[in-house]
Amino acid sequence: MSETTAAPDAAPKAAFDLVIRGGRILTTAGIVAREVGIRDGVIVAIEPLGNGLEGARSIDLADDETLIPGLVDTHVHVNEPGRTEWEGFASATRAAAAGGVTTIIDMPLNSIPPTTTVEALELKRSVARDQAFVDVGFWGGAIPGNKKDLRGLHDDGVFGFKCFLLHSGVDEFPHLEADEMEADMAELRSFDSLMIVHAEDSRAIDHAPSAEGNHYDRFLASRPRGAENVAVAEVIERARWTGARAHILHLSSSDALPMIATAKRDGVRLTVETCPHYLTLMAEEIPNGATAYKCCPPIREAANRELLWAGLEDGTIDCIVSDHSPSTLDLKDLENGDFAVAWGGVSSLQLGLSLIWTEARQRGITLEQVISWMSTKPAQLARLTQKGQLALGYDADLAIFAADDAYVVDVSKLKHKNPITPYDGRPLAGVVRKTFLRGHEIDGMTPTGNLLRRGDVG
């Protein structure tokens, strides 16, 4: 990668603020040799390589580099305000940018207050406004008693609403019973919003063994696939009855794939995500006491992982997002390694593209397909009409990716706030060398991210 700046006397010829050219540009036509012209933060020209587009600045990609659209991560827990010691907007968005992510959507819980009223949303925006290195949108929360707040939050720009079907882990964000979820879905249907659901059934988990102790197999047994399967079935039927749009968060049980596929064929307005940890890790290899691996629903067995990949390839699962769910080191109970006590969540916001690319290339899956799962499809989920593709009229949110380069994860060098991840020491393929937001390189020093609202982003 080389960069040049036009001389002052060449300024009149510079039709674009930035031109990026190279033999590997990932467009909607695939990876092709192109020149990309950017003006006022938007992609306004895509020409064959050699056409000689003139820019005030220009970048020539190295032979091993691919220009890709920035990733869109619709499942990130930032936790500010209230639990900023877990993660804040500055640290989270720096980590995102370092991993080629140019847009995140923040989850409504783990901050205090949770994003369940317009007032709480405005507080969160006020905190995020001058700290974001990438663009940031917000989910609202659906909890018992706030049905009256849903339309106001929608009108104020949230991208949809999250609910839990069991205890969320924090008391200030209580879960919905299935009938309450259905009533809220009917309300959301009236203004075509989206219900995103943590689908695990509390009764199934109540009947499962205790997770107490440092044995991972006990923790896995405490969150059985059946708990997910029952809850996913509940979401499907309530979406079917109400006609609402519904989205299954962080699917880990491959058992649920056949009923999801059937529901989609039946016309239920259903989408599904999974996460890098379910696609790259397996229960058989998790050491006892290694609570960095704890998440809910849990990382399951190798055979389950293979079926999740198959679900992605056949379209049953729509997209891959991080579910970056950080905590302080003490909350992970590292000293005792007790899976019943440790906070559940995996920190991987910066690593997602490399994690998935490392696995995908071994399976013969193309980079184009990976970017579709991690950028195009999440943007479509959130109806971000100017994100997720390198195409004319789209925001110039881009990353330069060296697919054949490699590195070993060093948790002390990651940008998220607390130095813990189950991927520490793991060799990965694919390095993000630069990330651009609306045509400007993200430097990690000057926050230039916008706060996004549903409806005003394209």
Side-chain angles (χ1 to χ4, degrees), residues 349-369:
L349 179 55
Q350 185 173 335
L351 301 172
L353 178 56
S354 297
L355 288 166
I356 294 303
W357 175 237
T358 300
E359 286 286 331
R361 69 190 312 193
Q362 295 174 357
R363 299 164 187 271
I365 296 170
T366 64
L367 181 60
E368 295 98 306
Q369 179 61 75

Side-chain angles (χ1 to χ4, degrees), residues 386-401:
Q386 285 183 262
K387 309 288 189 185
Q389 295 185 57
L390 199 165
L392 294 176
Y394 278 68
D395 289 346
D397 298 348
L398 307 164
I400 295 175
F401 184 61

Side-chain angles (χ1 to χ4, degrees), residues 115-117 141-150 153 161 176 184:
T115 315
T116 54
T117 65
I143 62 172
N146 86 323
K147 182 179 175 182
K148 66 185 185 305
D149 297 295
L150 302 181
L153 281 161
F161 296 87
L176 298 178
D184 282 356

Side-chain angles (χ1 to χ4, degrees), residues 206-266:
D206 288 344
H207 286 88
S210 166
E212 184 178 3
N214 69 351
H215 286 263
Y216 186 79
D217 57 355
R218 289 192 62 177
F219 170 64
L220 185 58
S222 77
R223 311 288 290 217
R225 296 189 203 192
E228 268 192 275
N229 303 337
V230 169
V232 168
E234 198 78 78
V235 173
I236 288 170
E237 294 314 305
R238 306 299 172 128
R240 190 192 305 273
W241 300 341
T242 61
R245 296 164 57 215
H247 178 73
I248 303 295
L249 297 165
H250 45 49
L251 182 73
S252 82
S253 171
S254 62
D255 292 351
L257 292 170
M259 67 173 133
I260 291 167
T262 298
K264 287 187 168 191
R265 285 195 297 270
D266 288 348

Side-chain angles (χ1 to χ4, degrees), residues 12 42 55 99 117 155 165 180 187 226 234 238-239 288-289 295-296 301-302 309 340 380 410 414 419 424 441:
V42 176
T117 65
D155 290 346
L165 289 176
E180 294 174 309
E187 174 73 5
E234 198 78 78
R238 306 299 172 128
N288 289 333
C295 55
C296 299
E301 303 85 354
W309 276 103
Q380 291 171 351
D410 179 348
L414 298 179
D424 190 28
E441 183 181 348

Side-chain angles (χ1 to χ4, degrees), residues 18 45 48 130 136 154 164 210 238 253 304 335 377 386 454:
L18 174 66
D130 297 323
V136 179
H154 172 79
F164 281 74
S210 166
R238 306 299 172 128
S253 171
N304 182 88
E335 184 176 343
K377 294 294 182 65
Q386 285 183 262
R454 176 206 52 79

